[in-house]
Amino acid sequence: MTKNSMRLDHVVLWVADPVAAARFYTEAVGLEPVRLTEFVEGKVPFPSVRVNEETIFDLAPHTLADRMKMLPGAADSAGHPVNHVCLSLPADAFEALRARLERYGVPLSDIGHDSFGARGSAPRSFYFRDPDGNVFEARHYDA
């Protein structure tokens, strides 16, 4: 491992319906909603869900695309999901996530073995999509 102090703060996902997306991430994935009430009340432009104490997913509605002026062409990313986002979990949480997604009726890939990631080789992983087509990988490491 490197001694780099950089951490992943947030990932912005384009979603058609932020409330429905928050419900999916809360119920099916098991994440904690952030600012959902404030979004519903019109006080903030989007809600988020907490991955861990350091990382959130922002659930940005496509209607925010016209406000993406930080770089030329930034608005063009609306509706184009990233290739995938990988979630690393302890083995028991990995099993619980898979079971929750199955109960929620989310199609899942087969279990993959020994895929490489930030912490080396993960013994098991699987993929799923959120309701907006964003692809996620879930994996666990032995150590």
Side-chain angles (χ1 to χ4, degrees), residues 81-99:
V82 297
N83 180 274
H84 75 275
V85 175
C86 182
L87 303 171
S88 173
L89 306 100
D92 58 340
F94 175 90
E95 296 293 344
L97 172 60
R98 189 167 177 89

Side-chain angles (χ1 to χ4, degrees), residues 1 86-94 114-125 137-143:
M1 300 292 287
C86 182
L87 303 171
S88 173
L89 306 100
D92 58 340
F94 175 90
D114 300 319
S115 59
F116 181 78
R119 294 174 51 200
S121 183
R124 295 182 304 156
S125 65
E137 176 185 0
R139 64 171 47 206
H140 76 84
Y141 293 97
D142 284 333

